[in-house]
Amino acid sequence: MSQRWSGLSSRADMVPEIAAAVGFVSSLLRTRGCVSEHQLQVFSGALQEALTEHYKHHWFPEKPFKGSGYRCIRINHKMDPIISKAASQIGLNLQQLYQLLPSELTLWVDPYEVSYRIGEDGSICVLYEAAAATPVSSYGMLTCKNQMMLGRTSPSKNYMMTVSS
């Protein structure tokens, strides 16, 4: 199911990026074993719907870094409201979410790339990566992810993680 909005380029569907983000968060919940498969399906559907709605006017495939901060999902001892909303659909409250998810998680959902970092000093790992139809220049751009990396004393290592659902 691909959704397209008027005024956006032909790569306006954000289905693969959202699927990667939803699959990753769902896998974090699955690993704790406290959530049933049915609950995970409901959560995944609610999170996919919420992210699609949240991003629909902030998705710019021709300028993937534009809106990156808006699309960033963040848990930093404070739960991201989109995750909290989706979790409430399966009866999980904030206290339960804090027990099931990392206390420090950053998830970047951008056109052509989804990546995450667990912990403030963790490595950035790529969940999904696709080639842009036309080359995208990030020269001189200070993205949300690049801002987070400023001040590091050592370079991070990039890892590729695949998530299946």
Side-chain angles (χ1 to χ4, degrees):
M1 178 179 99
S2 174
Q3 294 186 355
R4 301 196 185 279
W5 291 276
S6 61
L8 296 181
S9 75
S10 62
R11 180 55 176 74
D13 73 84
M14 53 190 99
V15 171
E17 291 89 346
I18 289 179
V22 168
F24 176 69
V25 176
S26 296
S27 72
L28 292 174
L29 293 175
R30 179 180 285 118
T31 58
R32 296 294 192 148
C34 300
V35 180
S36 73
E37 282 302 313
H38 175 72
Q39 286 177 304
L40 282 171
Q41 288 176 356
V42 172
F43 171 81
S44 294
L47 185 57
Q48 180 176 349
E49 187 177 312
L51 290 176
T52 301
E53 180 64 26
H54 188 67
Y55 296 165
K56 74 179 179 182
H57 297 295
H58 299 273
W59 195 258
F60 308 99
E62 67 286 353
K63 296 179 184 174
F65 303 118
K66 181 178 179 181
S68 182
Y70 181 84
R71 292 185 306 268
C72 183
I73 297 170
R74 186 98 166 101
I75 301 171
N76 186 9
H77 303 289
K78 181 180 176 202
M79 188 57 58
D80 187 279
I82 295 174
I83 291 177
S84 179
K85 180 181 175 187
S88 71
Q89 299 294 309
I90 60 169
L92 290 179
N93 61 35
L94 281 176
Q95 183 180 2
Q96 292 168 310
L97 277 176
Y98 285 123
Q99 292 172 346
L100 295 171
L101 296 172
S103 59
E104 303 266 350
L105 170 69
T106 306
L107 181 61
W108 294 279
V109 184
D110 295 321
Y112 311 111
E113 183 177 298
V114 179
S115 53
Y116 74 95
R117 183 185 67 209
I118 295 177
E120 285 301 309
D121 296 319
S123 296
I124 293 175
C125 303
V126 177
L127 292 168
Y128 170 84
E129 194 169 33
T134 56
V136 178
S137 172
S138 63
Y139 180 75
M141 297 268 316
L142 196 55
T143 66
C144 176
K145 184 167 41 172
N146 290 341
Q147 287 177 350
M148 301 285 280
M149 293 176 63
L150 287 177
R152 281 186 176 270
T153 55
S154 62
S156 66
K157 295 178 181 135
N158 288 324
Y159 298 95
M160 178 68 80
M161 176 179 169
T162 57
V163 177
S164 61
S165 51

